Amino acid sequence: MVAIIIVSHSRKLAEGLKEVLDQISKGKVKVVAVGGAKDGGLGSNAIEIREKILSLSGEDALLVFFDLGSTIISTKAALSGIPKEIAKKTHLIDAPLVEGAFVATVEASAGSPVNDIIKAAEEARNARKFY
Amino acid sequence: MKSTLNVEDFYNVILEIARLIHENKKYLTDLDSAIGDADHGINMDRGFSVVIDKVGKMDINNSDIGSLLILVSNTLMETVGGAAGPLYGMFFMNMANKAMGKREVDYKEFADMLEDGLKGVQEIGGGTQPGEKTMVDTLYPAINAFKRGVERGDIEGLKEVLLREAENGMKSTINMVAKKGRASYLGERSLGHQDPGATSCYLILKAFYDHM
């Protein structure tokens, strides 16, 4: 199974997006929210990200989506401290957070191959809201 | 002339870093309010206050340099909150790699540890190079000058070189336009301000200097 990890500066933002994605996937994709600093304020916590990644080590692939800058740095730091075989199947996705994670959830729920899910998620950056 | 650092030196350096960060908490935050989100001093001080707590509980007589640095790394990654957490976390984690199980390192080993730390910062920052108004502008010239000195066998006055290069590097960020991090959104408006990350790096190298 493919798992989606949402990393945000805000725990509420990550959990809110998880709520939306869970409704779409109906349990076919595991969605995990990570967010905020250790004290509950805004920020990122590489140790928590590392623990979440390790807790999903049994999944086929992990796709990580971010909100802004330092969540990416935190995730890279988290990855440097975990076994290589888990790091190898963890993909950091260069996509807008909501649209990208949404498309990935739809694709993953439909059983698409990992590379196709990633490609679709990255293409979400071109998605327009008005036509 | 001293040319080694033992686990107790590292322990004292860590306490000294925490002290310097605390002393400069407002200064770092003020620098960050000019070009960032005004939290660098607050975040670093929060992280290092937990570091002192945890390191203080370590049995330093039965520990090694690598384990000490890993503890510092994990604590910073968990408690700093901003980008500085994982960046300094990587710095100390990479420094720890070649120091696992060691209770003493010579300057050659120390130079390699610093270089590994620098590489970690550059890597997770997205391939950061000098000239982009970041921590790397302090670390890169200082660590490279130190490593070159060690390779030449030029130990005399070498710690002064480390400190001088770090200070020059830190000050050089005043005339730079930010290319990485939040300050990069400001473009030309980031000119004229010293980078807060480059400044905290200077404080960290200063703490090492004080115990070399």
Side-chain angles (χ1 to χ4, degrees), chain B residues 61-75:
Chain B
N61 294 319
N62 286 306
S63 189
D64 61 270
I65 298 166
S67 308
L68 172 66
L69 296 176
I70 290 285
L71 179 64
V72 173
S73 166
N74 284 336
T75 309

Side-chain angles (χ1 to χ4, degrees), chain B residues 90-146:
Chain B
M90 274 303 284
F91 181 69
F92 287 107
M93 192 202 297
N94 273 18
M95 274 190 83
N97 284 344
K98 287 181 183 149
M100 293 312 294
K102 289 186 184 162
R103 290 187 44 85
E104 186 175 270
V105 290
D106 61 23
Y107 276 14
K108 164 81 178 64
E109 293 169 302
F110 179 52
D112 289 342
M113 288 166 64
L114 287 172
E115 192 181 37
D116 287 347
L118 165 64
K119 281 182 181 160
V121 170
Q122 290 185 283
E123 188 190 314
I124 65 161
T128 312
Q129 295 299 321
E132 298 182 308
K133 203 180 182 92
T134 71
M135 293 162 61
V136 170
D137 290 302
T138 299
L139 297 175
Y140 190 93
I143 291 170
N144 279 301
F146 183 73

Side-chain angles (χ1 to χ4, degrees), chain A residues 37-39 43-47 50 70 73-74 76-77 80-81, chain B residues 46 74 77-79 81-83 86-87 90 93 123-126:
Chain A
K38 194 182 183 180
D39 63 5
S44 57
N45 174 351
I47 301 295
R50 182 188 295 167
S70 71
I73 298 177
S74 281
K76 287 185 182 171
S80 69
Chain B
R46 178 174 54 214
N74 284 336
M77 283 202 205
E78 189 167 30
T79 57
L87 286 165
M90 274 303 284
M93 192 202 297
E123 188 190 314
I124 65 161

Side-chain angles (χ1 to χ4, degrees), chain A residues 66-127:
Chain A
F66 314 92
D67 59 0
L68 299 165
S70 71
T71 51
I72 300 169
I73 298 177
S74 281
T75 305
K76 287 185 182 171
L79 281 177
S80 69
I82 68 173
K84 279 206 170 54
E85 66 272 18
I86 302 170
K88 239 172 81 182
K89 62 180 175 184
T90 306
H91 305 269
L92 313 192
I93 312 297
D94 187 2
L97 178 60
V98 177
E99 285 86 346
F102 172 82
V103 170
T105 304
V106 171
E107 290 284 334
S109 303
S112 301
V114 174
N115 287 339
D116 292 357
I117 300 173
I118 293 172
K119 192 156 171 280
E122 287 179 345
E123 279 168 3
R125 77 168 71 90
N126 302 318

